[in-house]
Amino acid sequence: MPTVHSSPYLQMDNPAILSLLRPTPGEKPRKSSSGGLMRMFKLFPMLTSGCKMVALLGRPRKPLLKDSATTGTIFGYRKGRVCLAIQDDPHCVPMFVIELPMLTSLLQKEMASDIVRIALESETKTHKKKLLEEFVWAVYCNGRKVGYSIRRKQLSEDELHVMQLLRGVSMGAGVLPSPNEKETVMSDGELTYMRARFERVVGSKDSEALYMINPDGAPGPELSIFFVRAR
């Protein structure tokens, strides 16, 4: 698989995507650094052990977010592929889950650039379904095509495991206990996750965007996810 590290503007010439792009005030080229992912993680509460997670989820919890922000979760084993799940409510079943055609380690390298733009383009032209109900997607990361993915009809066991562990978490980042921890850690590495709130912007029936909301407006990496359907 080719390296996906590239300019966030390369090949982002789809009119539907360009209409959703938000210019960053005073935007200047940024230097890459290996600490990009860690800076993003520091913005969120850290849950790094099974005991801590169980203790947290075992308490009665009131919703931390009363607005209409969408919840997005990026997760995967360090040596495996990364998954994206989108929920209207972190307590509900995701409305969209997909395994992206890129390794978790490669996405972490992209996050070091401070600007990450993931675009999913459906080439279906029938328009009989809602945009996020489409199944086959071409995936781009910072302007470079990394492959194709198919939206999940049903969650896998690992995906269901992650959603269950995070059902009481509105935002956070860290390491989760895996279903078969000893075997998995040896082969695929730790199961990492990042969950955040996203502002959802609908451009048309054929284009939507999610913009990550940093906690309390704190400065940090920019993560945007675009969904576009061919016309």
Side-chain angles (χ1 to χ4, degrees), residues 100-130:
L100 302 177
M102 57 191 303
L103 298 176
T104 303
S105 58
L106 292 180
L107 180 59
Q108 291 174 354
K109 290 181 180 179
E110 289 294 333
M111 287 182 175
S113 69
D114 288 344
I115 300 177
V116 180
R117 288 171 176 157
I118 298 173
L120 287 81
E121 181 179 21
S122 171
E123 298 175 356
T124 303
K125 298 182 180 181
T126 59
H127 298 193
K128 293 181 179 179
K129 300 176 182 177
K130 293 181 180 179

Side-chain angles (χ1 to χ4, degrees), residues 74-147:
I74 295 176
F75 61 96
Y77 293 102
R78 292 190 188 277
K79 299 179 183 178
R81 294 193 176 190
V82 65
C83 292
L84 167 67
I86 300 171
Q87 299 164 280
D88 284 328
D89 185 323
H91 297 86
C92 298
V93 175
M95 60 180 175
F96 185 91
V97 179
I98 195 169
E99 182 183 77
L100 302 177
M102 57 191 303
L103 298 176
T104 303
S105 58
L106 292 180
L107 180 59
Q108 291 174 354
K109 290 181 180 179
E110 289 294 333
M111 287 182 175
S113 69
D114 288 344
I115 300 177
V116 180
R117 288 171 176 157
I118 298 173
L120 287 81
E121 181 179 21
S122 171
E123 298 175 356
T124 303
K125 298 182 180 181
T126 59
H127 298 193
K128 293 181 179 179
K129 300 176 182 177
K130 293 181 180 179
L131 179 58
L132 295 188
E133 292 177 350
E134 296 291 356
F135 283 104
V136 182
W137 298 86
V139 180
Y140 299 79
C141 182
N142 281 352
R144 179 172 295 180
K145 190 173 184 178
V146 294

Side-chain angles (χ1 to χ4, degrees), residues 59-223:
R59 303 175 193 151
R61 294 176 59 85
K62 295 181 180 180
L64 296 178
L65 305 174
K66 296 183 179 180
D67 55 28
S68 57
T70 298
T71 298
T73 309
I74 295 176
F75 61 96
Y77 293 102
R78 292 190 188 277
K79 299 179 183 178
R81 294 193 176 190
V82 65
C83 292
L84 167 67
I86 300 171
Q87 299 164 280
D88 284 328
D89 185 323
H91 297 86
C92 298
V93 175
M95 60 180 175
F96 185 91
V97 179
I98 195 169
E99 182 183 77
L100 302 177
M102 57 191 303
L103 298 176
T104 303
S105 58
L106 292 180
L107 180 59
Q108 291 174 354
K109 290 181 180 179
E110 289 294 333
M111 287 182 175
S113 69
D114 288 344
I115 300 177
V116 180
R117 288 171 176 157
I118 298 173
L120 287 81
E121 181 179 21
S122 171
E123 298 175 356
T124 303
K125 298 182 180 181
T126 59
H127 298 193
K128 293 181 179 179
K129 300 176 182 177
K130 293 181 180 179
L131 179 58
L132 295 188
E133 292 177 350
E134 296 291 356
F135 283 104
V136 182
W137 298 86
V139 180
Y140 299 79
C141 182
N142 281 352
R144 179 172 295 180
K145 190 173 184 178
V146 294
Y148 286 87
S149 288
I150 298 177
R151 178 177 66 85
R152 295 274 200 245
K153 290 184 178 181
Q154 294 183 331
L155 299 181
S156 68
E157 290 186 6
D158 282 354
E159 291 161 354
L160 182 60
H161 171 77
V162 171
M163 293 298 104
Q164 288 176 336
L165 287 178
L166 297 179
R167 66 186 182 276
V169 178
S170 298
M171 53 185 172
V175 178
L176 295 172
S178 59
N180 301 307
E181 192 152 4
K182 292 184 178 179
E183 296 179 7
T184 305
V185 170
M186 291 293 292
S187 59
D188 297 325
E190 296 174 315
L191 177 58
T192 62
Y193 83 96
M194 185 199 73
R195 169 167 284 187
R197 295 184 302 163
F198 287 80
E199 179 186 356
R200 186 176 178 182
V201 177
V202 178
S204 70
K205 66 177 182 178
D206 298 315
S207 61
E208 293 187 20
L210 297 174
Y211 298 97
M212 189 178 77
I213 304 170
N214 288 333
D216 300 322
E222 298 177 17
L223 172 61

